[in-house]
Amino acid sequence: MSDTASTALDAYPTECLMNTAARPPLVFVRGDGSWIWDHEGRRYLDFVQGWAVNALGHSPRVLREALETQAARLFTSGPGFFNEPSLRLARLLTEHSPFDRVFFTSSGAEANEGAIKLARKWGTLHKGGAFEIVTFRNAFHGRTLATMSASGKAQFEALFEPKVPGFPKATLNDLGSVEALVTDRTVGVMVEPIQGEAGVLPADDGFLRDLRALTRARGLLLIVDEIQTGMGRTGRLWGHEHAGIEPDIMTLGKMLGSGVPLAALLATDAVACFEHGDQGGTLTGNPLMTAVGHAALSTILAPGFLDDVRARGADLRTALEEVSRTHDLGEVRGRGLLLALDLGREIARDVVVRARAAGLLLNTPRPSTLRLLPPLTVSRGEIDLMARTLDAVIAEMPA
Ligand SMILES: *Cc1c(COP(=O)(O)O)cnc(C)c1O
């Protein structure tokens, strides 16, 4: 179990973990940028990156330094005291978004859980106890009981009954389906600018603008779950910017921590109505994690960084469209560096396994869909290599 070049898999106590996922027989031991190494010293080009998490790739120097500097100063002082890194990160987030107040959490689900609680509190104070939040079919908002209930994932439906009530489901890009669910119990609408786990299904910019107009007209909160689309993933800092809207509440996770457990709930002043004791958590605003988040966001905000993300996003789209044309596959969907390739038939799992054998890590959110989640720092050469490998894998697929 040391980091010698090669260790046999049976040296690892894999049976000691709860068996909650079909994991391949690999143990990853080291990463560097777009690359990751397994227990046998094999190297993979990583287009999963911790599930859309590592904005700057594996173990980037700027985040290592932030972590080490903060670790030497203060791990945590607890949620009952202010600490410097969380204040610095909260200020950076509010300076670069339409929001005024931040609550930090450790996971995206916890941030969404907080958003649901904040909306319900606001409904209690300002809307006669309204508590329902309209969410969408195929949405993914996390794995706590309330966020599973808010999700529209078919596999969740039969699990852990009874669900938390109050999450009627509308259809993405169908405003009428939202309007039909709005009653005097409704307090808000929660939407992902791009439904990532559903297979990279974008909300149209016009639909997001219509949702903003509808929620304003009916006095409802608009909550955007930007856990996957935020932090520059789509080529703009926030996914909702493309539509030119200003939501009331936003949640962040994944690339906010860029590899460490950090997420956040942001709200405008008018909506941030938590009172003492309403919301908390032992590790909320943890200095170690928020120091890393501050370094990650500062890097993404540096001049030219998002220009490069947009350029690499265009390169990746072109490369995927070429693979699709060559093999007569389906459409390329998404924005920036959150793209999916539709394979046209249910072979994605097989493609992922064969790509891994060829030294490329890919993700499949749906049986016929590949999702590409490179770091925002991916190079053109790495995109070309990914496309060449994918092309060869698909060429060898049985008909
Ligand atoms: C990943 C994700 C979540 C859940 O975040 P966790 O950190 O896994 O709890 C919620 N919403 C969206 C859109 C996500 O992509």
Side-chain angles (χ1 to χ4, degrees), residues 187-204:
V187 71
V189 178
M190 178 149 90
V191 66
E192 299 158 85
I194 298 174
Q195 291 187 332
E197 300 305 304
V200 188
L201 307 178
D204 299 335

Side-chain angles (χ1 to χ4, degrees), residues 139-391:
F140 180 74
H141 297 301
R143 291 176 172 281
T144 63
L145 263 183
T147 55
M148 281 181 95
S149 306
S151 297
K153 221 175 138 124
Q155 301 96 299
F156 284 3
E157 260 162 41
L159 287 173
F160 315 128
E161 291 294 294
K163 290 284 182 305
V164 176
F167 301 102
K169 303 289 179 310
T171 302
L172 196 69
N173 295 324
D174 177 352
L175 193 71
S177 75
V178 180
E179 281 173 319
L181 294 173
V182 173
T183 68
D184 52 13
R185 291 187 304 277
T186 311
V187 71
V189 178
M190 178 149 90
V191 66
E192 299 158 85
I194 298 174
Q195 291 187 332
E197 300 305 304
V200 188
L201 307 178
D204 299 335
D205 291 343
F207 176 71
L208 289 177
R209 283 192 287 271
D210 289 346
L211 261 190
R212 179 66 284 191
L214 173 73
T215 48
R216 282 246 160 83
R218 304 293 292 265
L220 305 173
L221 301 178
L222 181 60
I223 305 166
V224 287
D225 176 345
E226 296 241 21
I227 290 166
Q228 194 156 149
T229 51
M231 298 290 288
R233 176 60 71 183
T234 66
R236 299 270 194 111
L237 191 54
W238 316 123
H240 68 260
E241 275 181 57
H242 296 277
I245 58 162
E246 297 201 344
D248 302 296
I249 295 177
M250 174 168 81
T251 53
L252 299 175
K254 294 198 165 90
M255 299 204 299
L256 178 62
S258 286
V260 303
L262 180 65
L265 158 64
L266 293 82
T268 60
D269 240 339
V271 173
C273 58
F274 281 144
E275 295 170 285
H276 292 179
D278 286 350
Q279 180 67 334
T282 307
L283 291 174
T284 182
N286 175 275
L288 268 183
M289 304 303 119
T290 47
V292 173
H294 186 272
L297 181 55
S298 302
T299 304
I300 290 168
L301 287 170
F305 188 94
L306 288 177
D307 295 329
D308 286 346
V309 173
R310 288 190 285 272
R312 293 298 81 73
D315 293 340
L316 181 58
R317 176 177 284 277
T318 303
L320 292 172
E321 282 170 351
E322 179 68 31
V323 172
S324 179
R325 243 192 325 277
T326 307
H327 301 284
D328 200 19
L329 308 173
E331 65 171 351
V332 176
R333 286 189 301 270
R335 216 163 210 170
L337 286 171
L338 176 52
L339 295 180
L341 170 62
D342 197 79
L343 297 170
R345 52 197 178 110
E346 301 200 343
I347 55 170
R349 195 180 292 266
D350 205 2
V351 169
V352 165
V353 170
R354 288 161 183 260
R356 191 164 63 231
L360 169 65
L361 298 188
L362 295 174
N363 170 261
T364 164
R366 284 277 147 121
S368 61
T369 306
L370 294 177
R371 180 174 43 168
L372 293 296
L373 300 164
L376 303 187
T377 50
V378 70
S379 72
R380 221 186 143 140
E382 288 160 351
I383 289 171
D384 289 344
L385 177 57
M386 181 285 298
R388 281 201 304 279
T389 310
L390 180 60
D391 184 81

